[in-house]
Amino acid sequence: LYFSLKEGKEALLQCVMWKGSASRLAFAPQDGAEVEAFGGITVYEPRGGYQLVVETLRPGGLGALLLALEELKRRLAAEGLFDPARKRPLPRYPRRIGLVTSPVGAAVRDMIAVLKTRWPAIEIVLAPVRVQGAGAAEEIAAAIERFNRYAKVDLLIVGRGGGSIEDLWAFNEERVVRAIAASALP
């Protein structure tokens, strides 16, 4: 592979990745993609310019997150965690819903408003958790596990408002996926 790494408008580094290294790529590089390249600098004598001989190339930024998510999904799917037969049916008329979300912000107010509009008699039990940042995945998973021990709700809603993939990442953590898969509550 012959390509250039670009930083800003002016900085450009010519690169080469030989067949042996390129055959180990876990993704298909695209024009404009953010990447992290590792290798050694050499001088390309015909032009007298430097080039990077790339030994390892991996997605950077958002690409790295998406690659990690795809790998996690592949691994958990191989274990059968996403098998449709594992899904538990939702109760037709739930009496009490467990809500795992942040206690502040528009998302919790919107969820409660929609639930009360659709089913005014519904009882809502809130498990307040952080929904992003350090420790959020652990709090979300622990709340799901607590609701299963509590066993006095008919179903769970685990959610938050919108945001970037980085903001939403806690919901993609393996600990959260496993807590949901292990939940007896739909």
Side-chain angles (χ1 to χ4, degrees):
L1 301 174
Y2 295 93
F3 57 96
S4 299
L5 293 177
K6 184 177 179 184
E7 178 72 30
K9 293 185 186 250
E10 301 295 323
L12 196 67
L13 176 61
Q14 300 301 317
C15 299
V16 60
M17 186 175 206
W18 303 120
K19 185 178 182 179
S21 297
S23 68
R24 292 188 299 272
L25 281 173
F27 73 107
Q30 304 275 330
D31 282 345
E34 183 177 334
V35 296
E36 296 173 350
F38 302 88
I41 298 287
T42 62
V43 175
Y44 182 64
E45 290 184 24
R47 283 194 305 240
Y50 291 104
Q51 72 176 5
L52 177 64
V53 178
V54 178
E55 295 170 11
T56 305
L57 188 67
R58 62 184 186 213
L62 182 58
L65 284 177
L66 293 175
L67 189 63
L69 179 60
E70 287 306 312
E71 169 58 23
L72 178 62
K73 284 171 36 180
R74 184 198 59 72
R75 201 165 38 80
L76 296 179
E79 290 181 33
L81 261 64
F82 305 130
D83 186 343
R86 293 180 57 97
K87 289 190 176 188
R88 289 158 305 284
L90 295 174
R92 185 159 175 86
Y93 300 107
R95 293 181 327 271
R96 185 179 289 152
I97 292 178
L99 186 56
V100 178
T101 193
S102 171
V104 297
V108 69
R109 290 189 305 270
D110 290 347
M111 287 185 234
I112 291 169
V114 168
L115 289 169
K116 289 291 189 177
T117 299
R118 292 187 179 185
W119 194 256
I122 195 76
E123 291 180 42
I124 300 167
V125 180
L126 175 65
V129 296
R130 284 181 285 170
V131 293
Q132 70 185 57
E138 290 75 16
E139 287 185 20
I140 294 165
I144 294 167
E145 292 159 3
R146 276 194 316 276
F147 267 125
N148 274 270
R149 286 191 307 273
Y150 177 64
K152 294 182 181 176
V153 296
D154 300 311
L155 63 96
L156 297 179
I157 296 175
V158 180
R160 63 158 286 156
S164 69
I165 189 169
E166 293 90 346
D167 291 345
L168 299 168
W169 194 256
F171 291 85
N172 294 328
E173 294 282 345
E174 184 170 355
R175 174 120 163 65
V176 173
V177 176
R178 288 194 182 282
I180 291 170
S183 176
L185 298 164

